[in-house]
Amino acid sequence: MKIWNIRSVKNLIALGAVYTLFSSCAEKSNNSLLDISFIPQPVNITATHKAFSISSKTNIVCKSNDIQAIGKYLSKLLNPATGFSFTVVENNKKIAKGDILLQLNSAGFSLGNEGYEINITPRNLMLSAYKADGLIRGIQTLRQALPPQIENDSIENINWSIPTGTIRDYPKFEYRGAMLDVARHFFTVDEVKQYIDLLTYYKINTLHLHLSDDQGWRIEIKSWPELTKIGASSSVNNEKTGFYTQDDYTEIVNYAAERCISIIPEIDMPGHTNAALASYAVLNKNGIAADLYSGTEVGFSSLAIHKEITYQFIDDVIRELVAITPGPYIHIGGDESHATEHNDYIYFINNVLDIVTMYNKIAIGWDEIANANINANHIVQYWSNKANTQMGIKKGAKVIFSPAQYAYLDMKYDSTTALGLAWAGTIEVDKAYDWIPDTIIPNIKPYQILGIEAPLWSETLQTTNDIEFMAFPRLCGIAEIGWSQNADLNWEDYKVRLAKHKVRLEALGVNYYKSEKVEWVPAND
Ligand code: ACM
């Protein structure tokens, strides 16, 4: 039995005083919008030091019919932790205290397609944007302005308050991407959706799916059925094989579109094509089907460059992909084609660029494609070769920056990381954050940069846990490089925000790497 004595009562009183001190500090700091550790950092925040609270009576009022789906998306996000049902209503309702308002507003034009403004008063919260994309981006800021428990999936009985003030925000780059390699190991539709949810949270607007490689072909092409009958049956070590039917792929595209994320399909060619070469003998230069491949070497395969059937094949693949790809881009790969003679490579890429253009899409390729006849209608994705990228810029192409030594999420954090590779070096959390795309290629002009992308190759990855461990928290920093203004990019400031952000990563259930470069705030701070 517990015996109470004077000493323990004194301790209890002291503990109570400390608790009161800390809880009143917390209340005070919670009252400033400026004290919230947003990632990415918004462009402009003004704080008015009061609080707005949502409650069981809060309605989500959509000022026009065309944004009801976004109202429902917000309601679904806020429901599990609050337990509130958040009726989504049209504008004809009288606005009550505690209501959240969403509106498309032509006055928001100056903030661009993804810009938004949030005005928070003690009475209401109003999120306005020029386009739906801006509302989706603003909703992520709103989530981060609420207590972190908002991401929990069961009810929390706390005061759901947001400090008052105004946030005006818009992205630095129009293209902020992530790439997932579903070829080396396959990831299911649900696994891809989970990744999309996390990309959404950090305002990333593009998911590039690496759909084919030596180890596997992952997308149904109805006119070439052996690609998935044969080519989808292998993977690295033959673990986690599979493919997306066109209906599966459309499910991913639609899920992403609801979050204003665009999907870019990549068919890597003329190298990285062993899975296709194993599926169809006719695509091989020697007319003999290759064996399926489950290793991790690169640079050994090539489509037959001078056979007409090769271009019929590519035309069919691109045509079927275009039919299920609403976004403007098709990625044609083009990297590490070491088994293709240089002139053949140029001939091949020129033909493929023509096919993509014929289907009214914009071709993106890894930086090697700059050797072909590219122009202002093409995009070069810089991953390793600056000379190629400079050549691409001279030819008028825009650049996506994915420097392997900073932005490759599959590189190990340090020599002890169990997952990942290290051919581009190890990438700690500070290194992944501390680079500026604008300075990598000398004299590049802002208009020549489309944006940035963080690729995640999957030779060593098989599960959502693996994806998350390699992507987080590095992807948070890369998302900030893509969104926030250069003046706000500062590792010393960012690492403090990231340390506090830990509680949100945990509420989201993310399996992240606890880097020693960050002084993580203990769980209940
Ligand atoms: C690449 O990493 N081979 C684009």
Side-chain angles (χ1 to χ4, degrees), residues 335-336 366 383 408 423 457:
D335 58 320
E336 298 176 310
W366 299 106
W383 67 281
Y408 268 31
W423 60 262
W457 303 97

Coordinates of all heavy atoms in Angstrom, one line a residue, residues 335-336 366 383 408 423 457, ligand 1:
D335 N 18.7 6.5 -69.8 CA 19.9 6.5 -69.0 C 20.7 5.2 -69.2 O 20.1 4.1 -69.6 CB 19.6 6.6 -67.5 CG 18.7 5.5 -67.0 OD1 17.8 5.2 -67.8 OD2 18.9 5.0 -65.9
E336 N 22.0 5.3 -69.0 CA 22.9 4.1 -68.9 C 22.7 3.1 -70.0 O 22.7 1.9 -69.8 CB 22.7 3.4 -67.6 CG 23.0 4.3 -66.4 CD 22.7 3.7 -65.0 OE1 21.6 3.1 -64.8 OE2 23.6 3.7 -64.2
W366 N 16.2 11.1 -68.8 CA 17.4 11.3 -67.9 C 18.5 12.1 -68.7 O 18.4 12.2 -70.0 CB 18.0 10.0 -67.5 CG 17.0 9.2 -66.6 CD1 16.2 8.1 -67.0 CD2 16.6 9.5 -65.3 NE1 15.4 7.7 -66.0 CE2 15.6 8.5 -64.9 CE3 17.0 10.5 -64.3 CZ2 15.0 8.5 -63.6 CZ3 16.4 10.4 -63.1 CH2 15.4 9.5 -62.7
W383 N 20.7 13.9 -63.4 CA 21.0 13.0 -62.3 C 22.5 12.8 -62.0 O 22.9 12.6 -60.9 CB 20.3 11.6 -62.5 CG 20.8 10.8 -63.6 CD1 20.6 11.0 -64.9 CD2 21.7 9.7 -63.5 NE1 21.3 10.0 -65.7 CE2 22.0 9.2 -64.8 CE3 22.3 9.0 -62.4 CZ2 22.8 8.1 -65.1 CZ3 23.1 7.9 -62.7 CH2 23.4 7.5 -64.0
Y408 N 19.0 11.4 -54.2 CA 18.7 10.0 -54.4 C 18.3 9.4 -53.0 O 19.2 9.2 -52.2 CB 19.8 9.2 -55.1 CG 19.7 9.2 -56.6 CD1 19.1 10.2 -57.3 CD2 20.1 8.1 -57.3 CE1 18.9 10.2 -58.7 CE2 20.0 8.0 -58.7 CZ 19.4 9.0 -59.4 OH 19.3 9.0 -60.8
W423 N 26.6 4.0 -54.2 CA 27.4 4.4 -55.3 C 27.6 5.9 -55.6 O 28.5 6.3 -56.1 CB 27.0 3.6 -56.6 CG 25.6 3.9 -57.1 CD1 24.5 3.2 -56.8 CD2 25.2 5.1 -57.8 NE1 23.4 3.8 -57.3 CE2 23.8 5.0 -58.0 CE3 25.8 6.2 -58.3 CZ2 23.0 5.9 -58.6 CZ3 25.0 7.2 -59.0 CH2 23.7 7.0 -59.1
W457 N 15.0 4.5 -55.9 CA 15.2 3.2 -56.6 C 15.1 2.1 -55.6 O 15.5 2.2 -54.4 CB 16.6 3.2 -57.2 CG 16.8 4.4 -58.2 CD1 17.4 5.6 -57.9 CD2 16.4 4.5 -59.5 NE1 17.4 6.4 -59.0 CE2 16.7 5.8 -60.0 CE3 15.7 3.6 -60.4 CZ2 16.5 6.2 -61.3 CZ3 15.4 4.1 -61.7 CH2 15.8 5.3 -62.1
Ligands
ACM1 C1 19.8 6.6 -63.0 O1 20.0 6.7 -61.8 N1 20.4 5.6 -63.7 C2 19.0 7.6 -63.7

